[in-house]
Amino acid sequence: MEIKTETPKHKIEENKNEEKVTQSASTEEIASLFGWKKKVPVKKVEEVIEDIPVIEVEEQIEIKSIKTIKHLGHIVTSNGEEFYFFKNIETDELFRLSIDYPGNGWNLVDIVEEGFILGHEDEKYFIEKNE
């Protein structure tokens, strides 16, 4: 039995006529095959601060308690409007307020569980609910 280890000449000649195509890849492409990832560039602190949206913070407003204004009650009209009635016990002055309707220099700023916050001449006052 005889084993031939030579390649036939006609096949070698055919391979010589073929054009060799070389492919190249960057080191990053090769490294990515093994799980390597490109690092994301780190931003400078100044750049990060510029990206943060500016939120305006309301200044702290002092709310004073006032005992001369009393809550008398409230009504709801047929179209759903709510009006709250107050009395200045020093002057016996009565006035009604709603969130959208100021009266006698007073305005209803907010209604909280414990009472009302009224505004008068750039000051805020807390009035307890009359229950």
Side-chain angles (χ1 to χ4, degrees):
M1 186 150 117
E2 189 177 327
I3 299 176
K4 292 186 179 181
T5 56
E6 293 182 19
T7 347
K9 288 185 179 180
H10 65 280
K11 284 205 174 196
I12 293 174
E13 290 174 11
E14 286 177 13
N15 289 341
K16 286 182 182 177
N17 294 335
E18 289 180 11
E19 287 186 35
K20 290 185 179 180
V21 178
T22 57
Q23 293 182 346
S24 63
S26 70
T27 53
E28 289 179 2
E29 292 173 320
I30 294 170
S32 69
L33 296 173
F34 297 98
W36 179 83
K37 293 180 182 177
K38 188 174 183 176
K39 290 184 180 179
V40 177
V42 178
K43 289 184 175 183
K44 293 180 181 178
V45 173
E46 294 82 18
E47 294 171 342
V48 173
I49 290 173
E50 289 173 1
D51 293 343
I52 298 173
V54 176
I55 299 172
E56 292 186 28
V57 178
E58 292 183 27
E59 65 182 69
Q60 286 274 346
I61 298 172
E62 183 181 344
I63 299 175
K64 301 173 183 177
S65 182
I66 186 169
K67 300 292 182 190
T68 57
I69 304 293
K70 295 291 181 190
H71 169 240
L72 300 176
H74 78 281
I75 62 166
V76 180
T77 64
S78 59
N79 61 357
E81 293 177 309
E82 291 188 61
F83 289 99
Y84 298 87
F85 294 91
F86 299 91
K87 179 179 182 179
N88 184 333
I89 58 173
E90 287 183 339
T91 63
D92 281 341
E93 177 184 16
L94 297 173
F95 54 96
R96 75 172 186 179
L97 302 174
S98 75
I99 294 291
D100 300 324
Y101 180 78
N104 295 359
W106 291 89
N107 63 320
L108 182 57
V109 176
D110 200 4
I111 302 168
V112 294
E113 188 174 324
E114 300 84 13
F116 305 90
I117 299 174
L118 302 183
H120 183 67
E121 297 178 357
D122 298 326
E123 298 286 334
K124 304 285 186 243
Y125 298 96
F126 174 75
I127 312 296
E128 289 184 14
K129 282 185 180 177
N130 179 21
E131 299 206 34

